[in-house]
Amino acid sequence: MPCLQPDISMSDARFQAYVNALDGNELNEHEIAEKVNEAIFRVRSALRELEKAAYIEQTVNGYVLTNKATAT
Amino acid sequence: MASTEETVTQSVPSLPRIGDAAPKFEASTTHGPISLDDYNGSWLVLFSHPADFTPVCTTEFVAFQGIYDRLKELNTELLGLSVDSLPSHIAWVRNIEEKQGVKIEFPVIADSSRKVAMHYGMIHPNESGTETNRAVFVIDDKQTIRAIIYYPLTTGRNMEEIVRLVEALQTTANHQVSTPANWKKGEKVVVPPPQSQQAAEERVNDSSLEVTDWYLSKKEL
């Protein structure tokens, strides 16, 4: 089965973990790392990729989901 | 006036040295795209290996995985690199897990363009013009190179030495001391030698230190 998000390299399960972590939440990278249980370097890499693909956007205090992410 | 002569200059990046800022990169890895900046705040052991699916490298990967948890306890991450492709890396780490039961948990850069390898001086043309050698760069939490090790293609690295090196570098960073030959964590460290004649006289009478002579003194941390 093709990846549901062809514009990013992360797996569907990992993508969903990030969406779940940020669903209704504005979190910084350390809070996200705790929620998804990943090392900070992996979180930064994932956030950069998700932001580039417009699934999340950076705010003053952290990151939030975009409409594109909530529509998936 | 247009010149009829062409000057071709070959750009050879200078090799990074201890104390230099680690060269920046963003690269494809087995964990997705990773940049050096992603490691800011953590120490990093960046190492290269000659090629996937080769015997010495396979023993090294299993051994690197064996020290990964200890490195993480030292706020230190591991990042591998070779000029093999991403599919090759993925196939190799899957093969290691299948044949040896060891899951490789650290990312591996697929540096097919050799861009990162060239910036870090991991290819030594007189040894091999196509493969990276066994380089190790210890990069601190502010992204400065703190140590460099090079091993030839034929010699697998000693993982205990890599852990010991990180522990020694962090001890120096945290306590402004040096570490003597064969030092291991928990052993006495070397205090900086005095910088004046009077300080030297005071040093030899300092009962809080193990003083061999004014220029060589050790203490417990």
Side-chain angles (χ1 to χ4, degrees), chain A residues 9 14 39-42 44-45 48-49, chain B residues 26 31 33-35 38-40 77 107:
Chain A
S9 69
R14 190 168 175 226
I40 196 70
F41 79 90
R42 292 203 72 199
R44 287 171 180 158
S45 163
R48 190 171 56 253
E49 199 174 5
Chain B
E26 181 167 349
H31 290 203
I34 285 181
S35 78
D38 294 336
Y39 293 97
N40 199 12
E77 284 293 338

Side-chain angles (χ1 to χ4, degrees), chain B residues 47 49 54-71 78 92-106 108 134 157-160:
Chain B
F47 70 95
H49 68 277
T54 54
V56 177
C57 298
T58 302
T59 65
E60 284 195 323
F61 257 53
V62 171
F64 272 116
Q65 180 59 43
I67 61 168
Y68 190 28
D69 282 345
R70 288 165 64 194
L71 290 174
L78 260 180
W92 187 39
V93 297
R94 285 172 61 85
N95 179 266
I96 290 171
E97 184 171 9
E98 180 191 335
K99 299 294 181 189
Q100 306 201 44
V102 175
K103 186 177 178 66
I104 302 301
E105 295 173 319
F106 53 85
V108 188
R134 302 186 194 282
R157 285 160 282 200
N158 185 314
M159 300 301 140
E160 290 304 318

Side-chain angles (χ1 to χ4, degrees), chain B residues 148-204:
Chain B
I148 303 170
I149 304 172
Y150 287 117
Y151 271 45
L153 304 180
T154 52
T155 309
R157 285 160 282 200
N158 185 314
M159 300 301 140
E160 290 304 318
E161 173 58 10
I162 291 170
V163 174
R164 191 194 78 90
L165 177 59
V166 171
E167 288 174 338
L169 292 166
Q170 292 186 351
T171 297
T172 293
N174 294 334
H175 300 282
Q176 289 77 51
V177 293
S178 305
T179 50
N182 301 322
W183 177 87
K184 288 179 184 163
K185 195 172 186 180
E187 294 180 352
K188 288 178 180 173
V189 296
V190 173
V191 295
Q195 297 299 308
S196 70
Q197 189 173 350
Q198 184 178 354
E201 285 167 16
E202 291 172 7
R203 175 63 57 85
V204 294

Side-chain angles (χ1 to χ4, degrees), chain A:
Chain A
M1 190 177 81
C3 179
L4 292 176
Q5 289 77 39
D7 46 354
I8 53 175
S9 69
M10 58 203 299
S11 70
D12 291 345
R14 190 168 175 226
F15 174 80
Q16 201 55 54
Y18 276 78
V19 170
N20 291 343
L22 285 165
D23 191 14
N25 298 316
E26 180 183 19
L27 302 175
N28 64 36
E29 60 187 25
H30 294 282
E31 291 167 332
I32 295 168
E34 202 168 305
K35 285 220 174 219
V36 300
N37 194 28
E38 286 186 354
I40 196 70
F41 79 90
R42 292 203 72 199
V43 171
R44 287 171 180 158
S45 163
L47 292 176
R48 190 171 56 253
E49 199 174 5
L50 289 169
E51 188 176 16
K52 198 172 174 184
Y55 289 109
I56 62 171
E57 58 190 17
Q58 199 161 6
T59 61
V60 176
N61 298 317
Y63 294 87
V64 293
L65 294 177
T66 62
N67 290 337
K68 182 180 177 184
T70 51
T72 57

